[in-house]
Amino acid sequence: MINRLKEDLIRSSAIGRVSNRSVESYGQLNSKMGVTRPEGSPANKTLRDFTVKRMQAAGLLVRIDCVGNIFGKKDGFRNHEKAVMIGSHLDSVMNGGHLDGALGVFAGIEAVRRLRDDDFQNQRPIEVAAFTGEEGSAFVVGTMLGSAVLTGKMRVDEALSTKNTAGRTLDYVLTEIGYKGGFEYCADDVDAFMELHIEQGPVLDNDDMSVGIVEHITGITWLKSIITGVGNHAGTTPMHMRQDALVAAADAVRFLYRRAQEMAISLNSSIVGTTGHLNVIPNNMNVIPGMVELGFDIRDSSLDSMQQLTDEIISFLNGLKRENGIDVQVESPDMQVPVKLSEEVIRTIEKSAVQAGVSFRKMASGAVHDARNMTSIARTGMIFVPSVNGVSHSPMEWTEWDDIEKGVSVLTGALKALSAC
Ligand SMILES: [Zn+2]
């Protein structure tokens, strides 16, 4: 049964890969040769064309909306009812893996084929979706473009006038590759949405679980700060006369790390804190750092915990001022709140996993996905499959075939349940 999907994934794994070679096993991956399929690139067009053909071969009616989202529809017995939508995205990061996004689209097509195999009559219509520009690797908009338009978070004209890194608008690029459709998908037409995706983290692989049922999609706080000391000669300035911005910054880095670790243990939570950006000025071996720009990333499925850690790091930064005779500026934090997925859809997926005899655990998603946008218009659920060694956004991204098969079985069962009523 897995063979059709396996063939789709193997064939599509060659698209946008430096070597043009397809990959069938972990051993064939090469850490230097990932896939590069930013939105509107030739590889993106090739993958879109391949996907449309596979959708049509599965008997789906393919439509392209005005921002290039691809929808493949299987009519329902009661076709006027709101649809059950399943899918993900086809674009990739630069030199990434071939499963991120594409797995969810091809698994969606496979789930529909299995419904046909089983002579299953869906009551609600089913739509398999491939969203435009999720990764933002070509069109940088800070949100997942295609699903943002579908859910009304971004206007169509705003999306179409967005320019890619080469200065071309989305309108121009979609027209050029033949994926500028004419219609606007109506958000009211979706009842439920499910996205099968690779975990992109180590939890399932570590726990030896085949499937993750996502309960929350993490919230994210981005916080920027500038610490200003006095840049001076590294040789002539005595130790007691220094105002070293980097030493103060190092304390802040350590503080966030330690507090996130402590909170994760004491609250038994998924909270994480990272100082991912550090710009040391002038960054010369023989000069005391006069200024450091820092960027902090705090994520959790609990808004309260995120808020607490954000408040703590802000007051720590402000406290550095007094201690070290330096100046600290803290920008107001940019916060995306965590979202809870639909309890009904979670229960449906869980039932399907039990029926299929698949081991699963419930978990939070530490990365954002199109599903996050979809929560505002539809009952939404996500199914994760393990990433080998927790690696993603890398040429070494891999999920074992057996786990993919289990994920698709769970998706198919849940799709039957949601489209039956
Ligand atoms: Zn993805």
Side-chain angles (χ1 to χ4, degrees):
M1 272 271 246
I2 179 84
N3 290 340
R4 286 176 306 209
L5 175 60
K6 193 170 175 179
E7 190 195 323
D8 288 349
L9 291 170
I10 290 171
R11 282 178 65 186
S12 60
S13 72
I15 300 171
R17 196 179 296 277
V18 184
S19 59
N20 274 327
R21 225 180 288 137
S22 60
V23 173
E24 284 189 55
S25 65
Y26 183 80
Q28 290 174 355
L29 294 173
N30 178 320
S31 62
K32 294 196 179 69
M33 292 177 184
V35 298
T36 300
R37 308 158 170 171
E39 201 50 64
S41 62
N44 182 254
K45 175 184 164 42
T46 307
L47 185 58
R48 281 170 170 270
D49 291 348
F50 178 69
T51 305
V52 166
K53 282 205 190 97
R54 302 311 289 151
M55 282 181 168
Q56 285 166 339
L60 295 168
L61 171 73
V62 176
R63 295 180 298 163
I64 316 293
D65 80 358
C66 51
V67 292
N69 291 320
I70 302 171
F71 300 100
K73 184 174 185 182
K74 179 180 188 297
D75 283 342
F77 192 67
R78 288 186 285 152
N79 221 17
H80 58 280
E81 296 276 356
K82 293 179 176 195
V84 178
M85 188 177 277
I86 50 176
S88 194
H89 60 95
L90 293 176
D91 65 322
S92 81
V93 296
M94 313 307 259
N95 202 29
H98 65 276
L99 295 171
D100 181 355
L103 172 64
V105 176
F106 290 111
I109 298 171
E110 173 62 16
V112 169
R113 291 189 292 232
R114 291 183 185 197
L115 261 48
R116 288 201 199 284
D117 291 346
D118 297 346
D119 283 327
F120 178 85
Q121 177 59 65
N122 48 301
Q123 299 293 315
R124 293 182 181 279
I126 292 169
E127 293 271 15
V128 181
F131 292 114
T132 296
E134 192 269 354
E135 297 288 3
S137 45
F139 294 88
V140 186
V141 291
T143 180
M144 299 144 285
L145 189 144
S147 54
V149 171
L150 171 65
T151 55
K153 293 175 184 60
M154 188 185 237
R155 289 195 324 271
V156 174
D157 61 326
E158 199 185 334
L160 289 174
S161 59
T162 305
K163 288 185 177 162
N164 66 9
T165 40
R168 296 245 157 91
T169 62
L170 181 67
D171 196 345
Y172 180 95
V173 167
L174 287 176
T175 306
E176 193 179 50
I177 64 168
Y179 281 89
K180 170 88 190 337
F183 86 106
E184 208 173 319
Y185 201 101
C186 177
D188 291 340
D189 292 346
V190 191
D191 170 60
F193 176 76
M194 285 188 294
E195 182 169 8
L196 174 77
H197 203 281
I198 53 169
E199 183 202 331
Q200 306 184 279
V203 175
L204 293 172
D205 193 33
N206 200 46
D207 286 4
D208 224 359
M209 287 282 172
S210 295
V211 158
I213 302 175
V214 181
E215 293 180 298
H216 295 91
I217 297 179
T218 185
I220 305 179
T221 297
W222 275 8
L223 182 70
K224 289 183 188 162
S225 172
I226 298 175
I227 299 179
T228 311
V230 178
N232 209 337
H233 197 291
T236 60
T237 316
M239 292 310 285
H240 69 281
M241 296 178 73
R242 294 180 178 218
Q243 282 136 346
D244 187 324
L246 181 59
V247 171
D251 285 346
V253 171
R254 177 48 79 177
F255 176 83
L256 179 69
Y257 184 80
R258 185 173 55 77
R259 282 300 297 142
Q261 234 176 6
E262 286 169 358
M263 285 175 70
I265 294 167
S266 66
L267 303 171
N268 190 23
S269 83
S270 54
I271 194 157
V272 286
T274 309
T275 309
H277 175 77
L278 207 62
N279 186 22
V280 182
I281 300 161
N283 208 19
N284 282 339
M285 193 99 92
N286 58 359
V287 182
I288 297 165
M291 188 190 274
V292 177
E293 295 166 352
L294 298 110
F296 305 101
D297 177 303
I298 293 168
R299 303 185 187 211
D300 196 20
S301 50
S302 152
L303 183 60
D304 287 349
S305 304
M306 277 172 64
Q307 192 65 61
Q308 185 190 330
L309 189 54
T310 305
D311 291 347
E312 283 190 24
I313 183 74
I314 290 173
S315 69
F316 185 86
L317 286 162
N318 287 325
L320 286 171
K321 245 189 255 188
R322 289 186 291 277
E323 270 175 42
N324 303 330
I326 48 165
D327 187 48
V328 180
Q329 284 166 264
V330 185
E331 284 183 18
S332 60
D334 182 5
M335 188 177 284
Q336 267 187 42
V337 299
V339 298
K340 221 167 158 297
L341 299 187
S342 155
E343 273 169 30
E344 282 166 281
V345 178
I346 290 170
R347 266 199 305 276
T348 306
I349 295 171
E350 195 174 342
K351 238 189 223 170
S352 172
V354 171
Q355 266 165 12
V358 170
S359 64
F360 68 91
R361 62 161 284 166
K362 293 188 181 171
M363 58 190 298
S365 170
V368 293
H369 300 283
D370 289 305
R372 183 181 205 285
N373 281 338
M374 295 301 285
T375 55
S376 68
I377 63 156
R379 301 184 291 158
T380 295
M382 279 200 88
I383 299 168
F384 276 169
V385 287
S387 295
V388 172
N389 300 323
V391 172
S392 177
H393 283 188
S394 148
M396 298 309 287
E397 175 186 291
W398 186 253
T399 299
E400 298 298 349
W401 292 114
D402 188 40
D403 290 326
I404 290 178
E405 167 58 29
K406 287 176 178 160
V408 176
S409 299
V410 174
L411 176 69
T412 306
L415 179 62
K416 282 181 180 174
L418 291 176
S419 66
C421 53

